[in-house]
Amino acid sequence: MATKRNDKMNAFYAQSGGVTAVINASASGVLQTARKHKDRIGKVFAGRNGIIGALTEDLIDTSKESARAIQALRSTPSGAFGSCRFKLKSLEANRREYERLIDVFRAHEIGYFFYNGGGDSADTCFKVSQISETMGFPVRAIHVPKTVDNDLPITDCCPGFGSVAKYVAVSALEASFDVRSMARTSTKVFVLEVMGRHAGWIAAAGGLIEDEGIPIVILFPEIAFDEKKFIARVDTMVREHGFCTVVVSEGAHNADGSFLAEQGTRDAFGHAQLGGAAPVVANMVKQALGHKFHWAVADYLQRAARHIASATDVRQAYELGARAVELALAGHNAVMPTIDRISDAPYRYRIGMAPLAKVANVEKFMPRDFITEDGFGITEKCKRYLRPLIRGEDYPTYKDGLPLYATLKNVAVARKLPTFEL
Amino acid sequence: MATKRNDKMNAFYAQSGGVTAVINASASGVLQTARKHKDRIGKVFAGRNGIIGALTEDLIDTSKESARAIQALRSTPSGAFGSCRFKLKSLEANRREYERLIDVFRAHEIGYFFYNGGGDSADTCFKVSQISETMGFPVRAIHVPKTVDNDLPITDCCPGFGSVAKYVAVSALEASFDVRSMARTSTKVFVLEVMGRHAGWIAAAGGLIEDEGIPIVILFPEIAFDEKKFIARVDTMVREHGFCTVVVSEGAHNADGSFLAEQGTRDAFGHAQLGGAAPVVANMVKQALGHKFHWAVADYLQRAARHIASATDVRQAYELGARAVELALAGHNAVMPTIDRISDAPYRYRIGMAPLAKVANVEKFMPRDFITEDGFGITEKCKRYLRPLIRGEDYPTYKDGLPLYATLKNVAVARKLPTFEL
């Protein structure tokens, strides 16, 4: 995978897909490490709103940002340069877009491509490395993993996940204490909906509070929903403990594949209502068992919650950003730095490397032996996996009660090419 | 209000209504202060599940808890002894219950009644002081204020509110950074639903992030919802900033009094669906303006979020609990310690005292001059009021990634009376 390069070149960095509490920590790792190698990396241009910034030649000159601002990114959630949901089509279907990328890279002397995203962007990153070779303007393309869904293969975990997992575990614990207080005369069942369309990693984090004495029922996307079994499980929990907490993945679905969240709810005009899985599940419990309930849908709050980020996650996000630059400088191409776990307790890991050809378009689901036999909980094996990922607190600095999050200047680079229609 | 007392008596403490992130800090204040006065206060018995514990003679002997456990309550959310939603009827309508309370107090030599709750419990506390006099077993009844709704009169603020306000401001800020990152190709409007059935104090806290450059629209229960004006406001915000955050109070309602949350949503069977205001508002924006949206309902997460509690709030909750005991020892009865603000910046306050006759059954709404003229934001005056209340962080201790929250032993006191049917 290594190719020889001698020239000093500029670099491109972009954030892709749903942002996280720590994707900016990866950005900080990329930018700080690039700044240490000014002999080989000129400027780092960031794509405004992700890859769209590259296609439209809307580049941000990160050299205009102070060292302090770049440091502050480490504790700022969201995507500092903007992200986008924009998947490049296959090379065959849309060669034009890939060629445009290379034109922009050529115009701005960009020899390094750092793409910070999930499975789709790993695929884009891989294709960029391929076509750049074909077009005679070789770019070293390194993917920096990021996804709250934790569904990338090869790497033991994905930056963004540990912090969401910590948010979910802490929030579920706090709400469960609340319900336990109220259960005698009021709320007996609390339902928390969390992210995870296909993989149940985030929902699994709720299982960590079982060891704190909380009766918990988890609905994973990996396990087809069985209403009868679910109601029986909640009934048992409430009888035994007086209350129960349910963590439902947004991707929880029936055996026929239909999502719980789309249980045929209609608004006053008969339009299908975009609701959550949580109210559906909560009302189901009410109708079957009569228990008072409360429900919450965490949505963006969970993935943006930098205030309760996992210190492990923040550190790994930064390290993977930094390593991406080091890999590029070492001549690697079409690879992604990975977290390779050495041991659970004490938690030890090393940073490894995976070829993008093996990463792109592969989703990693919860292994069946991470889920209890009845399908409603997590096993000790899963807990051993999860515990180190939520460990440690990494608080932002506060001023007057609010966290000091960085907003960058995001100064545009002068355009050199004709405009390009998306 | 002062009455003379010489005997050493036991005390009763109970938590009432919806619990908060800091009601246990008040409990810690009550218990630690009582322990300092063992010459005058014997044991403190807590009601298991609030006032129901007193009625059913289900008392908890708090002397069985270690000093360390009582200290740990300061950083544990929820109600450590259990709370309840149970409003005693008027003296006329249900004299039996009040008389039972006095019977239990007499049987357990309880001469101090500390009741930790909102407006309803202030009323109960007042009546207990009245009937105990009538029945010839005078009990000093002190109310410890608590409510996330911040709607008690006389006191400048209520313990529980500052922490919810901080949670809402921090969460809205983080989610807004997230939406700002995504707005170019994806989500443009984020809707966060917060508590507050009648008063908009909690929703108001979202307005604090305006100073961080976030375009925000607030829907208060104090202002009748006007769909046309609302859509126009969101449209303007998105045009100007590219995105917009909406904070909607659960109590937001139309001019005819109907709640937005009950906008006629039906499930597949045609049953009225218990939904939130957030999805209703989000779908309204989608239909009118076509913007992609995300929505969250914080529900219990907001009021249980001890991990992001306001240091000001924790301190005041503790101080009011401690002061309640001091007031009782000083011979006061039928009063509530209050926060009396001296200045906004620097923030200074003293602990005052209010007669319960003036507290019970009075709700404090947002003053009109705290809400901007258009009804969608908060004024500088409101910001000056809110800022000190969310100031400071008071983090719990963590172990292995999760906060160490205390679960008490809650040892029952032996019963002395016949059973009592609620």
Side-chain angles (χ1 to χ4, degrees), chain A residues 189-235:
Chain A
V189 177
F190 176 73
V191 182
L192 171 61
E193 177 172 337
V194 301
M195 288 178 156
R197 206 70 171 165
H198 306 294
W201 294 103
I202 296 175
L208 288 171
I209 66 170
E210 203 181 37
D211 298 346
E212 312 292 316
I214 306 299
I216 187 135
V217 178
I218 304 173
L219 299 176
F220 298 98
E222 284 90 348
I223 306 285
F225 180 69
D226 179 330
E227 181 170 350
K228 219 172 132 183
K229 275 177 67 184
F230 167 68
I231 292 295
R233 184 90 185 114
V234 171
D235 191 28

Side-chain angles (χ1 to χ4, degrees), chain A residues 17-20 49 52 56 76-80 82-86 166-167 169-175 177-187 190 192-193 195 208-209 212 263-269 271-276 279-280 283 287 292-301 303-308 387 390-393 395-396 398-408 422, chain B residues 17-20 49 52 56 76-80 82-86 166-167 169-175 177-187 190 192-193 195 208-209 212 263-269 271-276 279-280 283 287 292-301 303-308 387 390-393 395-396 398-408 422:
Chain A
V19 295
T20 78
N49 301 311
I52 285 183
T56 59
T76 298
S78 83
S83 184
C84 66
R85 294 212 176 272
F86 185 86
K166 188 180 185 85
Y167 173 93
V170 171
S171 298
L173 178 64
E174 291 176 332
F177 264 57
D178 191 312
V179 179
R180 187 175 66 180
S181 308
M182 305 304 295
R184 172 70 175 76
T185 56
S186 181
T187 308
F190 176 73
L192 171 61
E193 177 172 337
M195 288 178 156
L208 288 171
I209 66 170
E212 312 292 316
Q263 202 84 303
T265 323
R266 305 270 152 190
D267 69 11
F269 310 99
H271 301 129
Q273 181 89 358
L274 272 167
V280 170
N283 279 286
Q287 278 177 31
K292 282 194 189 169
F293 62 81
H294 264 254
W295 56 267
V297 176
D299 195 68
Y300 277 7
L301 304 191
R303 75 180 200 195
R306 181 62 184 80
H307 74 272
I308 186 70
R387 278 190 203 109
I390 70 164
R391 198 169 293 152
E393 294 66 55
Y395 298 120
Y398 281 71
K399 188 168 174 257
D400 292 341
L402 287 175
L404 278 173
Y405 292 144
T407 296
L408 300 181
L422 287 178
Chain B
V19 295
T20 78
N49 302 310
I52 286 183
T56 59
T76 297
S78 83
S83 184
C84 66
R85 292 212 178 274
F86 185 86
K166 189 181 183 86
Y167 173 94
V170 171
S171 298
L173 178 65
E174 291 176 334
F177 265 59
D178 190 313
V179 178
R180 187 175 67 180
S181 307
M182 304 305 296
R184 173 70 175 80
T185 57
S186 181
T187 308
F190 176 73
L192 171 62
E193 177 173 338
M195 288 180 157
L208 288 171
I209 66 170
E212 312 292 316
Q263 202 84 302
T265 325
R266 305 271 153 190
D267 69 13
F269 311 98
H271 301 130
Q273 182 91 358
L274 274 165
V280 170
N283 279 285
Q287 278 176 31
K292 282 194 192 172
F293 62 82
H294 263 253
W295 56 267
V297 176
D299 195 66
Y300 276 8
L301 304 192
R303 75 180 200 193
R306 182 61 185 81
H307 74 272
I308 186 68
R387 280 190 200 108
I390 70 165
R391 196 168 294 150
E393 294 68 54
Y395 299 120
Y398 282 70
K399 188 170 175 256
D400 291 340
L402 287 175
L404 278 173
Y405 291 144
T407 295
L408 300 182
L422 287 178

Side-chain angles (χ1 to χ4, degrees), chain B residues 139-159:
Chain B
V139 168
R140 286 187 199 145
I142 313 286
H143 188 249
V144 187
K146 167 244 63 167
T147 169
V148 294
D149 292 329
N150 204 38
D151 60 357
L152 289 176
I154 309 180
T155 187
D156 180 67
C157 61
C158 303

Side-chain angles (χ1 to χ4, degrees), chain B residues 127-332:
Chain B
K127 283 173 185 151
V128 164
S129 75
Q130 287 181 301
I131 194 154
S132 74
E133 294 278 354
T134 318
M135 288 178 67
F137 187 77
V139 168
R140 286 187 199 145
I142 313 286
H143 188 249
V144 187
K146 167 244 63 167
T147 169
V148 294
D149 292 329
N150 204 38
D151 60 357
L152 289 176
I154 309 180
T155 187
D156 180 67
C157 61
C158 303
F161 170 66
S163 294
V164 172
K166 189 181 183 86
Y167 173 94
V168 168
V170 171
S171 298
L173 178 65
E174 291 176 334
S176 299
F177 265 59
D178 190 313
V179 178
R180 187 175 67 180
S181 307
M182 304 305 296
R184 173 70 175 80
T185 57
S186 181
T187 308
K188 285 186 174 54
V189 177
F190 176 73
V191 182
L192 171 62
E193 177 173 338
V194 301
M195 288 180 157
R197 206 68 171 165
H198 305 294
W201 295 104
I202 297 175
L208 288 171
I209 66 170
E210 203 181 36
D211 298 344
E212 312 292 316
I214 305 299
I216 187 136
V217 178
I218 304 174
L219 298 175
F220 298 98
E222 284 90 348
I223 307 284
F225 181 69
D226 180 329
E227 180 168 351
K228 220 172 132 183
K229 276 176 67 184
F230 167 68
I231 293 295
R233 184 88 186 116
V234 170
D235 191 28
T236 304
M237 289 298 201
V238 174
R239 280 175 201 278
E240 281 177 15
H241 301 269
F243 74 105
C244 173
T245 293
V246 179
V247 176
V248 55
S249 178
E250 62 176 337
H253 55 79
N254 299 297
D256 65 4
S258 60
F259 289 114
L260 294 186
E262 291 159 5
Q263 202 84 302
T265 325
R266 305 271 153 190
D267 69 13
F269 311 98
H271 301 130
Q273 182 91 358
L274 274 165
V280 170
V281 167
N283 279 285
M284 212 176 261
V285 170
K286 171 77 178 174
Q287 278 176 31
L289 304 173
H291 298 316
K292 282 194 192 172
F293 62 82
H294 263 253
W295 56 267
V297 176
D299 195 66
Y300 276 8
L301 304 192
Q302 70 200 285
R303 75 180 200 193
R306 182 61 185 81
H307 74 272
I308 186 68
S310 147
T312 304
D313 190 32
V314 174
R315 190 173 59 245
Q316 292 181 344
Y318 183 90
E319 286 172 348
L320 292 176
R323 182 60 62 90
V325 175
E326 290 161 3
L327 289 176
L329 290 175
H332 292 286

